[in-house]
Amino acid sequence: MYLTGWGYNNVSQQAGYLYKVNVATGAEVWSVEESGKGAFCGSPPALDCSNVYVTSYDFSTDGYLFKYSKRNGASAGSVQIERTDATPAIDTTNGLIYVSGGWNGGDWGGSTPPGVRCFYTNNLTQKWGGRVNESMGGWTCSVSLGGDGLAFVGKESGDMNSFCYNTTYALNALTGETEWSYSQGGATAAIANDKIYTVGNNGHLYRFS
């Protein structure tokens, strides 16, 4: 089992912590401390066959996407992204990883506007991304992958107090281009039985086919 945590190191820098734990015994197998590049505030890690991926949130600047070896926790690379608590989504068939971050609250706290990005898992080079398609994404909205070549993500409403979402996007997972959108919903989507489920800032649950 892989767990994340956050705090401050001995020189008061924000620090992210990643733990691998033996499920049967509860014993720590290895741990990682990443200092000075934001904290692992709440994002669960994402996994492929060999590596663990986790994102960071920095309270004053951008965050990072990190890659570590599942075997021993050794660093396998990192890349700067919009700060985020969102969980990465992995397409193991095509070797791609998707992240959403930033927030739509202006420049408060040195924040970066939202963005959605796609990287190759082998070297963390960017395939597509940036603040495109009306600044979709956000630090509390994880990308959800469908089985039909689509990636689903929302757009923040711009309400600094609630961090809610008011638009749903279906993106071409290989190019990042918008296939369709709907002007409600947008929170991290759940996918089941060929349907997409998402909640909007009006308190409604939406279902799409």
Side-chain angles (χ1 to χ4, degrees), residues 156-173:
E156 288 187 341
S157 64
D159 180 350
M160 295 174 62
N161 297 313
S162 65
F163 307 108
C164 290
Y165 294 81
N166 63 3
T167 309
T168 302
Y169 290 94
L171 307 181
N172 183 305

Side-chain angles (χ1 to χ4, degrees), residues 61-130:
T61 185
D62 287 339
Y64 283 81
L65 170 66
F66 295 97
K67 176 181 176 182
Y68 302 99
S69 166
K70 288 171 68 174
R71 182 175 62 86
N72 58 13
S75 174
S78 65
V79 61
Q80 197 164 24
I81 60 172
E82 292 83 359
R83 59 185 180 179
T84 186
D85 278 356
T87 302
I90 296 183
D91 174 359
T92 55
T93 300
N94 294 301
L96 299 173
I97 185 166
Y98 300 80
V99 291
S100 170
W103 70 292
N104 207 12
D107 294 326
W108 179 84
S111 65
T112 301
V116 181
R117 300 179 185 271
C118 175
F119 298 91
Y120 293 99
T121 55
N122 63 341
N123 56 13
L124 297 186
T125 59
Q126 184 168 284
K127 179 173 175 61
W128 57 260

